[in-house]
Amino acid sequence: MKKLIFCLLSALFIISCTTIRQGEVGVKRRLGKLDPVVKGSGIHSYNPFTTTIIRVPTRTINLPLALENIPSKEGLNISAEMAVLYRIIPEKAPQVLTTIGEKYESVVIVSVFRSAAADVCARFFAKDMYTGQREEIEKEIAAEMHTVLEKRGIIVESVLMKSIQLPKGLAQSIEQKLEAEQQAQQMEFVLQKEHKEADRKVIEAKGIADSQKIISEGLNKQIIEYKTIEAFRQLATSPNAKIIITDGKTPMLINPNGQ
């Protein structure tokens, strides 16, 4: 009985447990050899004398990076603060540890990022990093990194440019140029508006002229006489006192009350 208890205590003594949290996997290393089957979240036991469990994060990691002297298309050197969002493919965690090691960030990710950033930025002008081309630069850097790192078990989700430091005087000249372009676009809008208003007035004047022409062409002697008779008839039915002077063709009304 005592021997059995001693054996159980000995077994418990040489067995350790570890907890794998959500957003990470465990890779068991036994006698220096990595187990290709990863351990999911939960409690896992192992022999601490022969085995260790390496935790590898599989959630999205934000890796901030500072770059200096990035070459632009016109040969200027630019500094930037950027960030790489990446994650490890869970089932490829043993491959990452085997081929790269636990310091995969500094060994591979940073190196690939610097190479991709230099390659992509060299295809753009310095002002492009300050304008709407910025998003395109981010996407191209991420695409180049993804091509290299995906087969190594690392997914690059995106690259973010936090801040750009242009050479002295260049940032101010770019801002002045952008302001001038905005003013030119505003002036073009105003001119287009004025042209449209001028076109509207021409069309309106043409419509009035056409209307008057139609009216003048439609008036003849019979219509004028008819309108005169109508005017006399309306005056005759009016209860107010009036003095009408006429040659029989057109009436002229005089108000005796002076109103």
Side-chain angles (χ1 to χ4, degrees), residues 21-25 56-62 85-90 104 155 157:
R21 299 181 178 86
Q22 290 183 346
E24 64 181 12
V25 295
V56 179
T58 55
R59 61 187 178 277
T60 299
I61 303 295
N62 186 338
L85 300 181
Y86 77 92
R87 59 183 171 85
I88 303 295
I89 301 173
Y104 46 83
I155 297 294
E157 296 180 354

Side-chain angles (χ1 to χ4, degrees), residues 82 113 116-117 120-121 137-146 159:
M82 308 176 75
F113 168 72
V120 172
C121 292
I137 295 173
E138 294 174 343
K139 289 181 178 179
E140 289 197 19
I141 295 175
E144 283 201 16
M145 292 185 66
H146 184 77
V159 172

Side-chain angles (χ1 to χ4, degrees), residues 6 8 26 35 48-49 76 82 86 135 188 206 208 226 258:
F6 176 77
L8 291 174
D35 188 345
F49 296 104
L76 297 173
M82 308 176 75
Y86 77 92
E135 184 178 356
E188 184 179 354
K206 186 175 183 301
I208 294 173
Y226 173 77

